Amino acid sequence: MKVMILSGRFGFGHEMAANAIREEFERQDSSTEIVQKDLLAYFYPHISRLIYKVFSLVAERCHGVYNLVYRMSERMNAEIRQGGSMLYFKFKKMMEDEAPDLIVCTHPICVKAAAFYKLKTGSQVPLVSCITDTTIHMGWVADQADAYLVPTPEMKEYLVRMGTWADVYVTGIPVRQQFLERGTAIKKQETPGMKRVLVMGGGLGIMPGLEELIDSLHRMPDVHTTVITGKNQALCQKWSGRYEDVEVLGYVGNIGTYIGRSDLVITKAGGITMFELIHSQVPMFIIHPFLEQEIMNARYAMGRGFARVIWNRDEDFVRELEGLLSDSEMLKGMQECMVKAKREMIETSLDDAVKEMSRKAYRYEASSGFYMPDCFSGSYQMQAGLGGSGRI
């Protein structure tokens, strides 16, 4: 069996979800051949870095423009044909070279590219769209998709109302194995009365107001802070060693360990981050979300009760944060909301979802390139039992 996972580095969340899916396939069957590609880098190998750099600059510094483009793209039917025949033939060549038995996409551009390829060629290779935000963007949706991995039950209901024939699995956003430790739990290194706070900035840079935030946390009694700056080494060097109660780190591979030891995580409202925290059952504190997807994720998290969100820039986030850290019962209540959210939001484990995807791939492989949808295979009960769309 050969699985091709397509993504893009527009923020780290899409790539992290792709990594999580790859890890689960490898955990279940080490003989599975996995091909993981950045589709933009494949299409534009010489300028993809520049494209990503421009994207990051627009998202960080011109987020009004970014949000406008995001909202406009919601109303566009922007498929790969918009990029001309060259991109189609590049995708077609990739498919001929790799000959996968399954395509999994963790970015909407990849979904549209794979869907157009299937439409144009009549290919029956199973296509899975893995949605990485808590509200749906139509770029994720395609008639040629055979399955969706969606973050929330509300999104499944939306797709079913749209009349999709694909299977829909409510998996949450896939997270890496370090957040899915089976049978083990990370124990907090507790000091009586001490609160441990983790500050993370996300893949597109640290959140606004970092200097004021760190100074404020330093002044709060009985608070130990860890700041993870990711690949921003300049920021790491600037803050390292300034305060004895503030630990500053660059990129860390075992981020799950640091999250698991925390009582509260101050972070951007990225979809992948939110589900890493849900699996770790650690509450969120979100300051001034400004990208469209992050605003929607923050609203969802706040509505579920496991996040405190500071919306307005003139709002005193220091007072709110200090009040939360001094109220153990409130933190406990937010953690209980995390437990409830995980139970209600995730109907199908990533383990079971990958088993279902593998089953589709094996059936396609065994049928010499012709994939028979499950609605014709008598597997309705299996699909419904695992949180599928219940199609007949």
Side-chain angles (χ1 to χ4, degrees):
M1 179 178 71
K2 187 173 187 177
V3 177
M4 185 162 68
I5 304 173
L6 302 177
S7 190
R9 289 185 289 109
F10 295 98
F12 287 164
H14 305 289
E15 190 175 14
M16 290 299 99
N19 291 343
I21 293 169
R22 186 199 71 231
E23 286 181 359
E24 184 60 32
F25 269 107
E26 292 173 343
R27 188 192 70 83
Q28 291 191 17
D29 186 353
S30 59
S31 68
T32 299
E33 185 178 355
I34 308 290
V35 177
Q36 187 171 340
K37 289 183 180 291
D38 177 333
L39 191 60
L40 188 72
Y42 178 81
F43 281 156
Y44 303 108
H46 302 298
I47 63 171
S48 60
R49 288 188 179 183
L50 176 61
I51 294 172
Y52 284 134
K53 186 174 182 178
V54 170
F55 169 82
S56 297
L57 288 172
V58 171
E60 288 185 61
R61 302 181 185 180
C62 307
H63 49 267
V65 174
Y66 174 92
N67 289 339
L68 177 63
V69 172
Y70 182 88
R71 289 191 291 269
M72 288 177 63
S73 68
E74 176 72 29
R75 298 188 291 271
M76 291 177 174
N77 186 24
E79 299 181 1
I80 195 171
R81 70 188 70 174
Q82 305 283 343
S85 60
M86 181 187 72
L87 298 186
Y88 163 70
F89 284 113
K90 278 192 173 184
F91 195 95
K92 185 171 182 289
K93 183 178 186 306
M94 179 182 69
M95 290 295 294
E96 291 169 351
D97 291 343
E98 300 294 350
D101 302 303
L102 177 75
I103 305 172
V104 184
C105 299
T106 64
H107 192 280
I109 289 176
C110 305
V111 175
K112 289 301 184 185
F116 185 59
Y117 165 80
K118 290 186 65 174
L119 177 66
K120 189 83 170 175
T121 63
S123 171
Q124 298 295 312
V125 60
L127 170 61
V128 179
S129 175
C130 173
I131 302 174
T132 59
D133 283 301
T134 55
T135 53
I136 200 161
H137 185 289
M138 291 309 295
W140 293 105
V141 180
D143 291 340
Q144 293 76 25
D146 298 282
Y148 293 93
L149 307 185
V150 302
T152 68
E154 293 89 344
M155 199 173 291
K156 174 183 174 180
E157 292 171 7
Y158 179 84
L159 288 170
V160 171
R161 286 199 306 271
M162 284 180 61
T164 182
W165 283 87
D167 298 308
V168 185
Y169 304 107
V170 186
T171 59
I173 298 174
V175 299
R176 292 161 289 169
Q177 293 294 314
Q178 60 182 287
F179 297 97
L180 300 173
E181 297 295 335
R182 291 161 175 80
T184 63
I186 300 171
K187 295 182 179 179
K188 290 183 173 65
Q189 297 179 348
E190 296 183 356
T191 301
M194 177 70 71
K195 294 292 191 302
R196 303 184 71 91
V197 177
L198 178 64
V199 181
M200 303 188 302
L204 291 178
I206 213 74
M207 77 269 302
L210 178 65
E211 186 164 347
E212 182 184 1
L213 174 62
I214 293 179
D215 285 338
S216 301
L217 288 166
H218 165 64
R219 291 194 298 269
M220 293 179 192
D222 300 321
V223 173
H224 182 276
T225 303
T226 300
V227 181
I228 296 179
T229 67
K231 296 181 180 180
N232 192 333
Q233 288 300 315
L235 195 62
C236 183
Q237 292 173 7
K238 175 182 177 180
W239 286 99
S240 292
R242 183 171 297 194
Y243 301 124
E244 63 179 15
D245 57 353
V246 178
E247 178 186 21
V248 182
L249 304 170
Y251 175 80
V252 295
N254 59 333
I255 187 67
T257 300
Y258 290 93
I259 290 176
R261 292 172 181 171
S262 302
D263 298 290
L264 182 71
V265 174
I266 304 173
T267 184
K268 297 172 75 174
I272 191 77
T273 299
M274 186 171 78
F275 276 88
E276 288 173 349
L277 295 178
I278 288 173
H279 282 278
S280 304
Q281 298 179 8
V282 180
M284 305 174 69
F285 191 89
I286 302 165
I287 303 173
H288 307 152
F290 53 84
L291 297 182
E292 192 77 10
Q293 304 101 307
E294 293 177 354
I295 291 170
M296 294 184 288
N297 291 340
R299 285 175 181 160
Y300 192 89
M302 186 178 70
R304 285 281 183 169
F306 56 77
R308 179 71 62 85
V309 183
I310 305 300
W311 294 104
N312 301 319
R313 294 191 178 276
D314 56 356
E315 193 173 351
D316 187 355
F317 74 82
V318 174
R319 185 177 64 180
E320 291 289 328
L321 180 58
E322 191 168 15
L324 179 58
L325 288 172
S326 63
D327 192 335
S328 297
E329 288 301 313
M330 187 176 295
L331 280 173
K332 182 179 178 182
M334 291 174 70
Q335 186 179 38
E336 289 172 352
C337 287
M338 280 281 191
V339 176
K340 182 180 179 182
K342 181 180 178 182
R343 183 173 62 247
E344 293 179 350
M345 291 169 68
I346 301 177
E347 298 175 358
T348 304
S349 68
L350 182 58
D351 184 330
D352 284 337
V354 166
K355 288 176 182 175
E356 283 297 289
M357 288 190 283
S358 297
R359 185 179 62 81
K360 292 177 187 295
Y362 280 125
R363 290 181 59 234
Y364 174 78
E365 182 184 29
S367 61
S368 300
F370 178 78
Y371 174 65
M372 180 181 290
D374 291 317
C375 55
F376 299 110
S377 67
S379 61
Y380 168 76
Q381 290 182 340
M382 178 183 293
Q383 297 297 327
L386 284 175
S389 63
R391 65 191 188 183
I392 57 174

